[in-house]
């Protein structure tokens, strides 16, 4: 039994698919898991707690303030007990609460209090699912390393076909099982350092030279690497994205700071993925005071920043080194040259002249170059997907 001795907390919220979670409890129990169920008040309108109690052989928890045993706080005890929390079905309402850290009932308070991994199974009307607020909330969950299972397309309770259906039980169980399987953690025991975001080089106390990098690509790689079991350190330049949960995140501003942060941690790393957009130059004489507009022209002298990637390529021992090249023209030729010159194991070529992809966008389209190997083209898709595919290539290279 694959889930023997595993403690799974199932949180059922008030959607029409709530009855399908009864099947989920059966599958989990059948595989040996101990299952305890929390239901929201809305969920109890769809299915009775008795059904879940019977199948899970445990009391169902619903009310934050009806804790009978005063020596412990039930929602904290539940949050600490679970090895994994599964929210199925997850209403739009609960997803919004999770994305914003709202804790106003037993279910949402437990979700905020737990350190266990979380799987969320959204199920709702297609228009609710596609609402920009909903999509924004789902992205926030993913940034917080919550595993969101994509809803399926098919016949909805509303009587028409659309996206938003509760997935097949096998799909959900595969994700549940993956959380307990080392087979799906090929990067377990590996230390990965990822850089992300853009650097800022000061001109004076109120101005700087920066770039358009949002950090989305590097953050996605860090989050996916963590899911694959790696110990991840994220060195982020300027990015509005929040620190991903469970990932050591170091914030820097300048290229020099970035270089120092990497060099200090280089020796213990197995893999380095340099997705940050680092300024090639910095201002030679940074002004102590705000520069006045007295003159018609202003000349700034720039000096070269250290080429971090090249330096790492020179000193690397067994580290697998990945670089990013943002090109606007002659991409492949420049990238091939960079790959060789900098002694990289892999170079990700990113055509930033296309506004639909690259800097700031949620999607990207890249070519992966490796020495003496065929290039791999990944057509336009989410940065999360690109991160996963890139890491799969790294994993298969490391096996060789
Ligand atoms: C008949 C009916 C079906 C509903 N189905 C869904 C659904 O499938 N998904 C969803 O997100 N909300 C659905 N709702 C709305 C939720 O029940 C409502 O937003 C509720 O406040 C959710 O509370 P909870 O998140 O605490 O469980 C439905 C409401 C009704 C009356």
């Amino acid at each position: 039994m694959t889930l023997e001795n595993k403690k799974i907390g199932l949180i059922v919220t008030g959607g029409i698919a709530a009855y399908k979670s009864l099947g989920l409890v059966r599958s989990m129990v059948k595989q040996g898991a101990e299952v305890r169920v929390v239901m929201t008040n809305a969920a109890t309108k769809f299915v009775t707690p008795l059904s879940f109690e019977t199948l899970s052989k445990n009391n169902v928890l619903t009310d934050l303030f009806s804790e009978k045993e005063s020596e412990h706080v039930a929602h904290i005890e539940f949050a600490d007990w679970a090895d994994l929390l599964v929210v199925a079905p997850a209403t739009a309402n609960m997803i919004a609460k999770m994305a914003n850290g709202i804790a106003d009932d037993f279910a949402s308070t437990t979700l905020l209090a737990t350190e266990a991994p979380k799987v969320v199974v959204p199920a709702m009307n297609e228009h609710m699912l596609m609402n920009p607020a909903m999509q924004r909330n789902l992205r926030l969950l993913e940034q917080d390393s919550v595993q969101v299972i994509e809803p399926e397309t098919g016949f909805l309770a509303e009587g028409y076909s659309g996206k938003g259906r509760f997935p097949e039980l096998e799909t959900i169980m595969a994700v549940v099982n993956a959380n307990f399987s080392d087979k799906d953690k090929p990067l377990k025991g590996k230390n990965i350092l990822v850089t992300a975001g853009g650097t800022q080089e000061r001109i004076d106390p109120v101005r700087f030279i920066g770039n358009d990098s949002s950090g989305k690509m590097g953050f996605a790689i860090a989050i996916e690497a963590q899911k694959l079991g790696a110990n991840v350190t994220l060195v982020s330049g300027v990015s509005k994205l929040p620190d991903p949960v469970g990932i050591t995140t170091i914030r820097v501003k300048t290229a020099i700071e970035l270089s120092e942060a990497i060099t200090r941690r280089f020796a213990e790393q197995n893999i380095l993925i340099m997705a940050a957009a680092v300024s090639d130059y910095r201002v030679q004489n940074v002004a102590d005071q705000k520069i006045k507009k007295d003159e018609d022209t202003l000349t700034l002298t720039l000096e070269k920043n250290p080429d971090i990637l090249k330096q790492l390529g020179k000193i690397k021992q067994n580290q697998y080194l990945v670089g990013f090249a943002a090109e606007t023209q002659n991409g492949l030729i420049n990238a091939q040259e960079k790959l060789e010159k900098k002694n990289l194991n892999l170079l990700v070529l990113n055509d930033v002249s296309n506004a639909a992809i690259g800097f700031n966008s949620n999607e990207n389209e890249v070519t992966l170059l490796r020495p003496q190997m065929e290039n791999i083209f990944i057509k336009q898709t989410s940065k999360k997907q690109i991160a996963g595919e890139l890491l799969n290539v790294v994993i298969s290279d490391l096996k060789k």
Side-chain angles (χ1 to χ4, degrees):
M1 289 200 285
T2 47
L3 294 176
E4 196 134 30
N5 301 324
K6 304 297 182 232
K7 302 184 193 100
I8 303 179
L10 176 67
I11 298 195
V12 183
T13 66
I16 197 75
Y19 74 94
K20 294 187 178 173
S21 282
L22 291 169
L24 211 48
V25 177
R26 286 193 63 164
S27 300
M28 289 169 178
V29 169
K30 214 166 144 191
Q31 288 190 23
E34 187 186 346
V35 183
R36 289 169 70 191
V37 178
V38 171
M39 296 178 80
T40 61
N41 277 330
T44 64
K45 311 268 187 218
F46 292 84
V47 183
T48 65
L50 183 61
S51 304
F52 281 104
E53 275 174 6
T54 310
L55 289 175
S56 69
K57 302 188 179 68
N58 273 314
N59 285 340
V60 167
L61 297 148
T62 48
D63 188 352
L64 195 57
F65 295 103
S66 74
E67 295 165 0
K68 290 171 198 125
E69 296 153 68
S70 53
E71 73 269 20
H72 65 252
V73 180
H75 64 274
I76 299 293
E77 188 270 327
F78 191 96
D80 290 344
W81 164 84
D83 296 323
L84 178 74
L85 283 179
V86 180
V87 191
T91 54
N93 177 55
M94 186 55 77
I95 288 166
K97 289 206 269 185
M98 286 178 77
N100 292 286
I102 292 172
D104 64 353
D105 62 3
F106 196 104
S108 53
T109 309
T110 304
L111 284 162
L112 197 64
T114 194
E115 286 192 321
K118 285 168 271 195
V119 174
V120 163
V121 188
M124 66 199 66
N125 168 275
E126 182 173 44
H127 301 145
M128 283 172 92
L129 180 68
M130 292 307 167
N131 184 291
M134 180 68 207
Q135 291 294 314
R136 196 164 56 235
N137 288 333
L138 286 174
R139 279 201 296 279
L140 285 175
L141 289 193
E142 285 181 350
Q143 278 168 23
D144 290 347
S145 298
V146 175
Q147 302 161 58
V148 178
I149 303 185
E150 187 93 6
E152 288 181 2
T153 302
F155 192 72
L156 300 174
E158 291 77 4
Y160 53 84
S161 188
K163 191 170 178 182
R165 260 175 72 87
F166 194 75
E168 296 298 328
L169 291 188
E170 297 81 75
T171 308
I172 303 170
M173 287 306 293
V175 177
V176 168
N177 283 310
N179 274 274
F180 297 109
S181 153
D182 279 354
K183 209 168 71 248
D184 292 293
K185 306 264 180 254
L187 292 176
K188 198 168 175 187
K190 298 270 187 239
N191 294 334
I192 298 194
L193 187 147
V194 183
T195 67
T199 55
Q200 280 183 357
E201 304 295 342
R202 279 277 141 221
I203 297 171
D204 70 12
V206 294
R207 303 183 181 96
F208 57 80
I209 299 172
N211 61 59
D212 281 330
S213 172
S214 63
K216 286 175 187 168
M217 192 64 243
F219 275 63
I221 295 168
I223 291 167
E224 293 307 302
Q226 189 200 32
K227 284 187 201 158
L228 293 167
N231 301 319
V232 186
T233 305
L234 176 63
V235 179
S236 174
V238 179
S239 168
K240 290 192 181 120
L241 300 173
D243 292 2
V245 176
I247 293 179
T248 310
T249 306
I250 297 140
R251 301 276 178 172
V252 296
K253 282 214 166 113
T254 66
I256 300 271
E257 287 168 10
L258 187 90
S259 171
E260 284 170 1
I262 301 164
T263 313
R264 215 172 305 134
R265 293 167 180 85
F266 185 70
E268 66 258 27
Q269 301 305 322
N270 303 106
I271 304 165
L272 288 106
I273 303 185
M274 315 293 278
V278 184
S279 173
D280 294 331
Y281 293 90
R282 64 178 180 275
V283 178
Q284 201 167 49
N285 296 309
V286 179
D288 291 339
Q289 304 296 328
K290 187 179 169 199
I291 299 172
K292 300 269 182 231
K293 54 175 177 196
D294 298 336
E295 310 294 334
D296 285 344
T297 59
L298 174 69
T299 305
L300 292 173
T301 305
L302 303 180
E303 63 184 329
K304 227 176 185 169
N305 270 325
D307 186 335
I308 302 171
L309 210 50
K310 198 167 170 188
Q311 287 178 354
L312 297 180
K314 274 193 194 142
I315 61 166
K316 79 171 180 182
Q317 307 275 319
N318 297 314
Q319 285 94 345
Y320 190 100
L321 193 53
V322 180
F324 271 68
E327 300 284 348
T328 52
Q329 56 183 352
N330 296 332
L332 271 175
I333 297 165
N334 292 339
Q336 191 62 45
E337 205 180 297
K338 196 168 173 181
L339 177 76
E340 288 159 20
K341 258 197 186 159
K342 304 198 178 185
N343 193 20
L344 307 179
N345 298 86
L346 193 156
L347 189 114
V348 184
L349 169 64
N350 207 340
D351 178 1
V352 286
S353 65
N354 181 350
I357 53 171
F359 278 171
N360 237 322
S361 124
N362 291 321
E363 297 204 328
N364 208 351
E365 182 170 278
V366 299
T367 306
L368 310 185
L369 294 89
R370 290 169 298 160
Q372 274 95 49
M373 276 192 260
E374 284 222 357
N375 294 345
I376 300 171
F377 176 66
I378 307 176
K379 71 173 180 11
Q380 187 171 345
T381 182
S382 67
K383 287 186 172 170
K384 176 176 183 250
Q385 186 76 24
I386 303 239
E389 292 191 31
L390 165 66
L391 289 167
N392 281 338
V393 173
V394 174
I395 290 162
S396 88
D397 278 0
L398 286 175
K399 278 191 195 142
K400 283 178 194 155

